[in-house]
Amino acid sequence: MSMKAILAGAMGTVLAVTLAGAVSAAPPGLVTDPVSHVDPFIGTARGGNTWPGATRPFGMIAWSPTATSGDQTNTPAANGYDYNTTKLRGFSLTHVNGAGCAPGAAGDVPILPFTGAVDSSPTADTKDAKYVSTWSHASETAVPGRYTVTLDDGVRTDLAVTTRAGVGEFAFPAGKEANLLFRTSNSLNGSEDAEISIDPAARTVTGSVLTGGFCGRRGNGGGDTNPNRRSYYRLHFSAVFDQAFTGTGTWQNSTLTPGGTTATGGEGYLTGANRAGRGSGGWVSFEPGHAVRMRLGLSYVSLENAAANRDAEIPAGTTADAVALQGRAAWNDELNRIQVAGGTGARTTAFYTAVYHALMQPQTMSDVDGRYLGADMRIHSIRPGQKAAYGTFSGWDQYRAQIQLLGLLRPDVAGDMATSMTDFAAQNNGIWDRWLHLGAPTHVMTGDPAAPTLATWYAMGVRNFDTAAALDSLVKQATVQNPEALSDAGCPGQCKGQRPTLDTYLALKYAANDICHCWGGTAETLENSLADFSLAMWAQRAGRTGLYRQLLPRGDYWKNTFNPAVGYQAARKADGSWQPGFTPSTDVGFSQGSSATYTWMVPQDVSGLATLMGGREAAATRLDGFFTSGYDPTNEPGIHAPWLYNALGKPFRTQETVRGLVDTVYGTGPGGLPGNDDLGTMSAWYVFAAMGMFPQVPGRAEMLLGSPVFTRVSLRRSNGVTLTVVADSTDTYVRSVRLNGAPLSRSWLPESFVQRGGTVSFTLASTPNQTWATTSRDLPQDH
């Protein structure tokens, strides 16, 4: 059976619009206007959890609709927008791309144009029956940096943004009331406090919301003791209008105050009846039949900084058209770092949309004056030479693909993010958290993903951060048990302790599932083994031989949770015994995945894994079986698995498996992502696959080869290094490869390709070459 047939059988029909068989060709030359190939609606259905609103590369503001299904305390999708729900609660100012928790994070300060009478408290409208609007997709458009929709009540809304500010133009119809509602307390997860102040003389609306709560409703996060039901940031906004107010008002809970200009009050972090009817906000009214322009700035520091950000980035008189034009140019600058040619129209759209989604994060946190909110809720300033403070790190997801793409395209931003993460850890008592929302620790998932992230950037040549201090701090976390390591708070899904039960882990050389204070002892062992391998690679590059020798053996601890009796990774107890009742589909001992998936999560030692499975041929046969028995392409611990065939001497299997995923699991249209984008992780996987290469292992910079779907790719790193991919066709299989003109018999590229640049040339075919890159000397090397 072909791998394409295997994938079709395993996954079924998953897209209305797939890439296989697409015939519309992209222009024959390199794409020069990639923005025209971006569709922000890709991933807005089928659980992709993307959103179509306006944002800039690495933007602080992300202005997009928050929809409702009839519950004021919830949303139809994790980040507020689902393509199949067209009832609007407001246009919210902040979003996180593709997070899996529902609701996800942010969604702060929904702003609703409303043409009815405001005669009751919007917070009392707990079923979103009155203070809502509807729209149809025929009246909705989105391009990078701009979102426009004409609502069914006739209000045309046009939103365009800079990095920290936005301009909204609202054209109200004649004959209806013209109101803008600021739902200041109604963040996706709720809020602890909110405030609004309206100044008719100055034509301003200002306020803030004290919130946080990422994954605070997660069922496996400790229930009512979930540590994320807390506030960890205050977002300030400052809006100024070009039209005079004809009326004002405020509300708190069920109390409406027509003519009011101030209000305070949060909603809490619960859901349903425990939160409904709580909160505060305000509104301003305008002359009907007129267009109203609002300039708005954000800041996590202060109201004054929100106004300063607004006025610096969107001066008075600036139109949405002007901001949108600048936004288009900014996105073209970023997207043009990868130019492609020779692909189908559908693949080109999927590709550039994936790059677009991948470069939404990290998010800018610092203001134009360089100040930012730290992990300790205090105000800090960026370091000398640092261009910006960045935040939001979905570590367990991103370290497998997104951070590599960021380091490849923008090593300068990666270095500033490394600086930010180092400083966030210092502000958090020296602890590197596995999932940061902005700069705040949220504890979500497992492992120690900051270690492989920074080690990978170092391997890719990133040096614009304090590399010695960062390595020392990460090594301390990996060797000295922190005070929260024995805590069960938030467990299993959001265990507060990082490197949990470290002393016992180091003594046993695995995480005992019965006492690990973690989300699956075997998953923790696999994650920590890879993290420690990455730190060892970093130490070796830094010339710290003793540290390298200390850490490298810890990269093999994964072998201690491989149960030879069943041939899989399995949950192991502190007494050395194995958890009874094992099946490959079990999730006991694992985090958001099964033993069948996690068993392959050893990219640092594929040869060692193959030996335990009975040799490369036996391992390849097992890998075939893995793809026929329900492989989940959205499950991060397994997204590298299609590339493992290279190390098993069957690179043609990698080529057909990856191409099958590219053309049947990914696609265009709202359902074009296979699941949560997870802050650009799934999108980054697609970008690498489409280029015909994928990072071999975190902590290093080699690339495994597949087959590109374009005949030419030109990638310009921000440090001046250029990588070029050339192919004679877009067929699936590799006939031969050349690197910088010389024949390449290996199925991988050396680190020098990423670090110094070069050209890789493919000769492709419609049938597999089963002899290329199959000898032992040509296989990817474990280190």
Side-chain angles (χ1 to χ4, degrees):
M1 181 182 290
S2 71
M3 191 57 62
K4 193 169 291 186
I6 288 172
L7 289 168
M11 300 165 196
T13 302
V14 294
L15 287 177
V17 183
T18 63
L19 303 182
V23 294
S24 58
L30 289 169
V31 169
T32 57
D33 182 29
V35 163
S36 65
H37 296 279
V38 173
D39 178 5
F41 291 103
I42 289 178
T44 58
R46 205 161 66 95
N49 289 332
T50 64
W51 39 268
T55 194
R56 286 280 182 98
F58 318 115
M60 177 184 292
I61 188 171
W63 207 351
S64 190
T66 290
T68 177
S69 297
D71 179 356
Q72 185 188 85
T73 70
N74 214 334
T75 59
N79 286 308
Y81 184 99
D82 182 89
Y83 193 81
N84 298 310
T85 303
T86 54
K87 181 182 285 188
L88 177 73
R89 185 182 297 142
F91 298 102
S92 302
L93 300 174
T94 58
H95 288 82
V96 175
N97 170 41
C101 285
D108 299 315
V109 193
I111 300 171
L112 177 69
F114 186 64
T115 58
V118 183
D119 53 14
S120 61
S121 168
T123 294
D125 182 25
T126 60
K127 300 300 183 182
D128 287 332
K130 177 176 181 177
Y131 293 105
V132 291
S133 188
T134 57
W135 80 94
S136 68
H137 295 301
S139 66
E140 179 186 37
T141 60
V143 296
R146 188 177 204 172
Y147 175 86
T148 306
V149 64
T150 298
L151 301 173
D152 291 342
D153 60 13
V155 181
R156 184 179 188 274
T157 297
D158 192 0
L159 311 176
V161 300
T162 59
T163 299
R164 304 170 181 85
V167 58
E169 294 179 350
F170 306 92
F172 289 95
K176 296 182 179 180
E177 297 199 31
N179 305 299
L180 273 182
L181 278 61
F182 288 75
R183 312 178 93 141
T184 47
S185 66
N186 195 218
S187 300
L188 286 179
N189 287 302
S191 57
E192 179 181 339
D193 187 30
E195 57 187 18
I196 190 169
S197 179
I198 303 169
D199 186 340
R203 299 178 181 173
T204 61
V205 178
T206 59
S208 69
V209 58
L210 179 63
T211 184
F214 176 60
C215 279
R217 305 184 201 176
R218 195 172 188 168
N220 67 352
D224 290 339
T225 63
N226 189 310
N228 280 357
R229 291 182 185 174
R230 63 184 176 89
S231 304
Y232 49 76
Y233 70 91
R234 183 182 284 275
L235 177 73
H236 305 268
F237 70 92
S238 180
V240 61
F241 292 84
D242 70 340
Q243 301 291 316
F245 304 156
T246 61
T248 68
T250 59
W251 68 86
Q252 182 184 36
N253 299 338
S254 61
T255 300
L256 187 76
T257 307
T261 57
T262 61
T264 61
E267 302 180 4
Y269 290 120
L270 300 177
T271 189
N274 292 316
R275 175 178 150 202
R278 298 176 59 190
S280 62
W283 80 93
V284 291
S285 303
F286 302 93
E287 193 71 30
H290 288 74
V292 176
R293 181 180 301 143
M294 174 179 70
R295 294 183 299 120
L296 180 147
L298 300 184
S299 170
Y300 294 101
V301 173
S302 67
L303 278 176
E304 293 76 15
N305 271 29
N309 289 341
R310 178 197 68 210
D311 294 339
E313 296 187 354
I314 305 181
T318 305
T319 64
D321 282 342
V323 173
L325 189 64
Q326 296 164 3
R328 184 183 186 92
W331 273 112
N332 263 335
D333 284 347
E334 290 300 331
L335 299 176
N336 263 321
R337 296 181 189 279
I338 312 184
Q339 294 180 286
V340 300
T344 66
R347 283 174 175 163
T348 303
T349 293
F351 181 82
Y352 278 114
T353 305
V355 180
Y356 166 75
H357 282 142
L359 295 183
M360 286 181 174
Q361 50 279 308
Q363 296 175 303
T364 299
M365 287 190 61
S366 54
D367 294 336
V368 292
D369 68 357
R371 289 190 293 165
Y372 68 94
L373 179 69
D376 54 3
M377 290 287 284
R378 297 178 180 176
I379 305 305
H380 302 266
S381 294
I382 59 175
R383 298 189 188 193
Q386 185 181 8
K387 293 181 180 178
Y390 294 102
T392 306
F393 172 62
S394 177
W396 184 85
D397 306 296
Q398 289 179 305
Y399 88 87
R400 306 170 202 269
Q402 191 273 342
I403 64 101
Q404 289 87 342
L405 185 60
L406 178 67
L408 199 60
L409 294 172
R410 292 299 303 268
D412 55 333
V413 173
D416 280 348
M417 180 60 170
T419 296
S420 301
M421 292 170 68
T422 303
D423 289 340
F424 294 145
Q427 297 155 10
N428 188 37
N429 300 313
I431 297 174
W432 298 69
D433 198 86
R434 59 182 77 92
W435 215 114
L436 301 174
H437 180 205
L438 303 176
T442 70
H443 330 304
V444 174
M445 303 308 297
T446 61
D448 191 8
T453 294
L454 271 67
T456 299
W457 285 339
Y458 192 83
M460 298 178 82
V462 176
R463 295 293 185 273
N464 59 316
F465 66 104
D466 191 338
T467 60
L471 177 57
D472 285 343
S473 182
L474 284 163
V475 168
K476 181 179 179 181
Q477 175 149 302
T479 55
V480 180
Q481 181 167 290
N482 66 69
E484 294 177 337
L486 301 180
S487 172
D488 279 326
C491 284
Q494 293 154 234
C495 295
K496 196 171 182 181
Q498 310 296 303
R499 292 276 185 164
T501 328
L502 179 61
D503 289 346
T504 303
Y505 175 82
L506 295 178
L508 294 175
K509 300 184 180 179
Y510 65 92
N513 196 60
D514 50 340
I515 60 167
C516 73
H517 304 282
C518 68
W519 190 1
T522 310
E524 192 74 23
T525 302
L526 288 159
E527 294 285 355
N528 288 347
S529 296
L530 187 48
D532 291 338
F533 167 84
S534 299
L535 292 176
M537 294 298 100
W538 187 353
Q540 184 183 42
R541 293 178 201 279
R544 299 175 64 173
T545 304
L547 182 59
Y548 161 73
R549 291 174 176 166
Q550 174 190 350
L551 292 171
L552 186 63
R554 291 171 54 170
D556 286 338
Y557 284 7
W558 66 271
K559 294 178 180 177
N560 299 321
T561 48
F562 185 92
N563 184 351
V566 297
Y568 285 89
Q569 287 286 328
R572 194 173 188 182
K573 299 181 181 180
D575 63 6
S577 64
W578 300 96
Q579 182 78 26
F582 174 85
T583 66
S585 62
T586 186
D587 63 358
V588 176
F590 302 97
S591 168
Q592 203 168 288
S594 67
S595 172
T597 294
Y598 270 95
T599 292
W600 300 102
M601 209 200 96
V602 195
Q604 76 273 28
D605 191 8
V606 183
S607 61
L609 178 62
T611 297
L612 291 177
M613 289 183 169
R616 290 200 301 268
E617 190 67 33
T621 299
R622 280 194 55 175
L623 193 55
D624 288 345
F626 177 54
F627 288 112
T628 62
S629 59
Y631 170 66
D632 180 0
T634 72
N635 195 333
E636 272 81 5
I639 63 174
H640 70 292
W643 303 86
L644 294 179
Y645 285 112
N646 284 21
L648 300 177
K650 296 184 182 294
F652 73 95
R653 288 288 202 202
T654 285
Q655 297 149 26
E656 63 189 11
T657 306
V658 170
R659 186 64 64 90
L661 292 169
V662 163
D663 282 347
T664 64
V665 175
Y666 289 82
T668 57
L673 284 176
N676 301 334
D677 198 32
D678 285 326
L679 285 81
T681 301
M682 294 294 106
S683 290
W685 187 96
Y686 181 87
V687 172
F688 279 118
M691 292 195 298
M693 64 185 70
F694 191 78
Q696 178 180 334
V697 59
R700 296 195 60 83
E702 291 92 352
M703 290 284 172
L704 301 173
L705 292 177
S707 57
V709 302
F710 302 104
T711 57
R712 189 173 183 86
V713 180
S714 177
L715 188 153
R716 295 175 294 108
R717 304 185 70 192
S718 62
N719 60 7
V721 170
T722 298
L723 316 180
T724 302
V725 178
V726 178
D728 65 342
S729 73
T730 58
D731 284 332
T732 297
Y733 296 102
V734 171
R735 180 62 52 188
S736 62
V737 178
R738 288 180 174 268
L739 177 60
N740 299 327
L744 183 69
S745 61
R746 302 175 309 208
S747 59
W748 54 281
L749 300 174
E751 291 188 322
S752 60
F753 180 75
V754 167
Q755 295 163 349
R756 299 194 292 273
T759 298
V760 56
S761 303
F762 291 86
T763 300
L764 302 179
S766 59
T767 57
N769 178 352
Q770 298 189 26
T771 62
W772 177 75
T774 58
T775 66
S776 296
R777 68 177 180 274
D778 293 328
L779 304 182
Q781 303 299 301
D782 297 322
H783 295 272

